[in-house]
C-alpha cells in the first residue's frame, strides 16, 4: 500500500486520510488499481497509480461503485466495438423499446 501514499487527500472535500480507507483491487503491468471511500464525505473513487523510473503519478475517477462492485466489474466481459456501433445504429433508427 506504499504506492497509495501518493493520493492522501479526498478530491471532493480535501480531507486527509491515512490509507486505511484505500483498498488495493489489483496490480498489473499498467499500475496499481485501488478503491477509496472518503470517511468524511463518503465519496468513492477509483485510482490508477503508475510507478516508473520518472516517479509516481495517479489518476482518480469519482464513482458510485462499492469495493465489491469494482472487483466484479473487472470480471465482466469487454464490450466490442461492433456491439457499440450496433447499439448506436439501433438508437439512430429508433428501433428499441
Amino acid at each position: 500500500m506504499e504506492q497509495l501514499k501518493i493520493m492522501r487527500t479526498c478530491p471532493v472535500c480535501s480531507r486527509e486520510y491515512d490509507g486505511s480507507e484505500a483498498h488495493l483491487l489489483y496490480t498489473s503491468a499498467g499500475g496499481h488499481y485501488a478503491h477509496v471511500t472518503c470517511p468524511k464525505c463518503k465519496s468513492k473513487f477509483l485510482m490508477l497509480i503508475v510507478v516508473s523510473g520518472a516517479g509516481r503519478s495517479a489518476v482518480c475517477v469519482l464513482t458510485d461503485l462499492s469495493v465489491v462492485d469494482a472487483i466484479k466489474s473487472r470480471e465482466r466481459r469487454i464490450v466490442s466495438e461492433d456491439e457499440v456501433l450496433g447499439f448506436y445504429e439501433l438508437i439512430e433508427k429508433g428501433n428499441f423499446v
Side-chain angles (χ1 to χ4, degrees):
M1 291 296 228
E2 179 70 23
Q3 288 80 8
L4 296 179
K5 287 184 179 177
I6 191 171
M7 196 73 188
R8 298 194 66 131
T9 58
C10 174
V12 176
C13 71
S14 300
R15 180 193 185 270
E16 288 192 26
Y17 54 86
D18 62 10
S20 63
E21 298 88 354
H23 300 277
L24 186 62
L25 300 175
Y26 60 94
T27 300
S28 72
H32 306 281
Y33 298 84
H35 181 281
V36 179
T37 302
C38 175
K40 181 180 177 186
C41 70
K42 304 301 181 204
S43 294
K44 300 173 193 155
F45 52 100
L46 298 172
M47 276 196 295
L48 165 62
I49 302 127
V50 178
V51 181
S52 69
R56 295 183 218 177
S57 60
V59 177
C60 289
V61 177
L62 287 171
T63 185
D64 62 349
L65 295 176
S66 68
V67 175
V68 173
D69 290 338
I71 293 168
K72 285 181 182 178
S73 70
R74 184 168 185 245
E75 299 167 357
R76 294 197 176 148
R77 182 180 70 78
I78 296 173
V79 178
S80 73
E81 292 172 1
D82 289 337
E83 290 172 311
V84 172
L85 291 173
F87 184 67
Y88 173 79
E89 289 171 357
L90 184 69
I91 292 172
E92 283 294 304
K93 292 178 184 174
N95 294 335
F96 66 98
V97 177

